[in-house]
Amino acid sequence: MFVSLTHFVKNHSAKFLRKPKLTYLVEDRMVIVQWPSRIHEAPVAELAVLFRQHESTSHSQRLRVSTSTNSKIITKTINAVPYLLVSVSSMKAKLLKHLLIFECAFSQSPDKLFAKVKSLATALPDICMVFLFQIHKQSGFHSPILTSNAWERFERDLFPLDLPQFLQLCEEEGVDRAPESLPEEFMGPVTAGGHIWCSISHIQYYVWLRQDNGKLEINPESIKQTQWSAYGEELPALEDGSNMNHITEVVNRGLAAIRVAIMETHQSVYDQIQIPVDAGLFSMPIILPETWNYFCPSLTEAKSHCAFECYQTWYLDSFRGRKRTLSNSDYIPSSQESKLEPEPGPEGSSQQQSHRSLGKRLAHDESAVGVSSDM
């Protein structure tokens, strides 16, 4: 089943705006399908920035530090693509070590997320740190219904709004505020046409480090605040990030351990190939900025993009290809729409049904999965 699904995604990848990430847990015989979105990508990109200085210092040497969002891990127990994998490698020394796993989930089942991470951590013995974001959206989301104000508002549009028009509508309604580096900004709702298209309620953070005795225990059910593990939850009511101090401390300890592992590997490789080591190559520390709001601006922007994609998908599904009468003086059908006009059917046939079928086909062909980011 997993092989068939992988071939299907590979052969039809051009139809997806973002390629789904597939995971297969061999022992559990479980397939996990994750649909990436901008909300997933935002913290991944910000975290990757911390390692770029070390990427640039090692590229010209015989050791490479890399951050990848598309590295496939295949072992006896798992076949997966982590959201972010930090690795150090040397083809000259025939060496590859994976040092950091970062996973980001948006309204995904926590059980599936933890099962994937546990299996990866077990399969990769050099991992120094596992870092998880679990982003939760407000429950009870639904698309606008036929009798809603949002439906009536957007039904009047001959074409879907573009992103600037959509954001302008949000601003005019005075619900969504300008992006700033504040937790409540990325946790607030994005509302347009009187409808909430995306709203983040809170974020949970999990961190585990490999201990001095070599153990890396992934225990989300009973995680404790220790020097090797940390848990934090960011809520709109906690604006100053004070409850994230221990998370920041443990993450920075993990980043320091990764830097040490890179330096030790660098020394080992150069000892092996008998080339002197430049001690200044990895002198720069890898640390989080002083304020925990480091991830907030990118998440705020990603939330607006996600809301816009939800709106686009719904609009195309509901109105694209809708048959309009010639009495609409402001509407001139395009040549393509003229070709799509259905043949006259029996009296009483439903134009709305024809419109919906066509709209759904076009929506699936041209739009991302906007409402549910993970499966």
Side-chain angles (χ1 to χ4, degrees), residues 140-154:
F141 174 83
H142 59 83
S143 298
I145 60 176
L146 187 61
T147 57
S148 66
N149 293 334
W151 187 287
E152 294 180 3
R153 160 63 183 81
F154 293 115

Side-chain angles (χ1 to χ4, degrees), residues 99 128-129 207-209 249-259 286:
L99 305 177
C128 297
M129 177 167 67
V207 187
W208 292 275
L209 307 184
E249 179 183 338
V250 174
V251 169
N252 281 332
R253 186 181 296 117
L255 293 174
I258 290 172
R259 176 171 170 264
I286 310 173

Side-chain angles (χ1 to χ4, degrees), residues 6-66:
T6 301
H7 284 305
F8 175 83
V9 171
K10 181 179 180 180
N11 294 334
H12 296 80
S13 59
K15 296 183 179 180
F16 301 113
L17 289 184
R18 291 181 179 86
K19 186 178 179 180
K21 292 182 180 292
L22 304 179
T23 299
Y24 178 56
L25 305 181
V26 177
E27 294 181 0
D28 297 330
R29 296 186 178 181
M30 178 191 298
V31 176
I32 303 172
V33 182
Q34 296 171 288
W35 293 91
S37 71
R38 287 180 181 266
I39 289 181
H40 294 90
E41 295 167 354
V44 170
E46 295 298 328
L47 192 60
V49 169
L50 301 177
F51 294 91
R52 285 178 184 163
Q53 59 185 348
H54 294 283
E55 286 184 349
S56 60
T57 57
S58 61
H59 282 179
S60 60
Q61 308 299 319
R62 297 178 187 248
L63 187 78
R64 180 183 179 89
V65 178
S66 60

Side-chain angles (χ1 to χ4, degrees), residues 38-323:
R38 287 180 181 266
I39 289 181
H40 294 90
E41 295 167 354
V44 170
E46 295 298 328
L47 192 60
V49 169
L50 301 177
F51 294 91
R52 285 178 184 163
Q53 59 185 348
H54 294 283
E55 286 184 349
S56 60
T57 57
S58 61
H59 282 179
S60 60
Q61 308 299 319
R62 297 178 187 248
L63 187 78
R64 180 183 179 89
V65 178
S66 60
T67 56
S68 173
T69 57
N70 291 299
S71 290
K72 181 177 288 189
I73 301 298
I74 302 177
T75 70
K76 295 179 180 179
T77 58
I78 188 171
N79 187 324
V81 179
Y83 266 96
L84 180 67
L85 191 67
V86 176
S87 308
V88 56
S89 61
S90 171
M91 297 301 101
K92 182 73 174 179
K94 302 178 182 63
L95 176 145
L96 172 63
K97 293 183 178 181
H98 302 300
L99 305 177
L100 167 68
I101 297 171
F102 176 76
E103 283 288 319
C104 181
F106 181 44
S107 296
Q108 178 186 359
S109 165
D111 293 338
K112 295 178 181 178
L113 172 66
F114 296 138
K116 175 182 178 180
V117 169
K118 285 180 181 180
S119 186
L120 280 171
T122 302
L124 304 177
D126 298 310
I127 290 294
C128 297
M129 177 167 67
V130 175
F131 190 11
L132 306 186
F133 268 37
Q134 188 165 15
I135 304 173
H136 298 264
K137 63 183 178 182
Q138 294 285 359
S139 60
F141 174 83
H142 59 83
S143 298
I145 60 176
L146 187 61
T147 57
S148 66
N149 293 334
W151 187 287
E152 294 180 3
R153 160 63 183 81
F154 293 115
E155 187 180 26
R156 300 194 299 267
D157 296 335
L158 297 180
F159 304 100
L161 303 178
D162 57 24
L163 180 59
Q165 292 170 329
F166 179 80
L167 296 179
Q168 179 64 30
L169 182 58
C170 294
E171 184 177 332
E172 290 173 357
E173 295 188 8
V175 178
D176 195 37
R177 293 161 289 186
E180 296 177 359
S181 300
L182 296 173
E184 68 268 22
E185 293 298 336
F186 73 79
M187 289 187 195
V190 179
T191 304
H195 184 81
I196 296 177
W197 296 97
C198 184
S199 183
I200 296 174
S201 62
H202 64 286
I203 300 180
Q204 293 175 299
Y205 303 85
Y206 299 84
V207 187
W208 292 275
L209 307 184
R210 189 172 297 280
Q211 303 177 31
D212 291 339
N213 59 11
K215 291 184 178 180
L216 179 58
E217 298 180 353
I218 310 297
N219 54 347
E221 302 83 2
S222 57
I223 187 171
K224 297 179 180 179
Q225 307 287 41
T226 72
Q227 61 177 325
W228 310 111
S229 61
Y231 168 81
E233 188 168 347
E234 202 159 14
L235 300 164
L238 302 172
E239 301 177 4
D240 59 359
S242 58
N243 64 320
M244 304 301 293
N245 291 338
H246 186 62
I247 285 278
T248 304
E249 179 183 338
V250 174
V251 169
N252 281 332
R253 186 181 296 117
L255 293 174
I258 290 172
R259 176 171 170 264
V260 169
I262 293 172
M263 294 174 66
E264 289 177 347
T265 306
H266 190 274
Q267 179 69 57
S268 175
V269 168
Y270 275 71
D271 288 345
Q272 180 179 338
I273 60 180
Q274 299 300 309
I275 295 179
V277 177
D278 181 357
L281 280 178
F282 300 102
S283 60
M284 294 287 290
I286 310 173
I287 58 173
L288 287 174
E290 293 183 2
T291 60
W292 187 251
N293 293 333
Y294 174 66
F295 296 101
C296 296
S298 59
L299 283 171
T300 303
E301 182 175 345
K303 180 189 65 175
S304 297
H305 278 285
C306 184
F308 176 64
E309 290 175 0
C310 289
Y311 154 75
Q312 271 192 320
T313 300
W314 168 79
Y315 183 94
L316 293 175
D317 188 51
S318 301
F319 302 120
R320 180 82 177 263
R322 178 158 59 92
K323 183 177 180 181

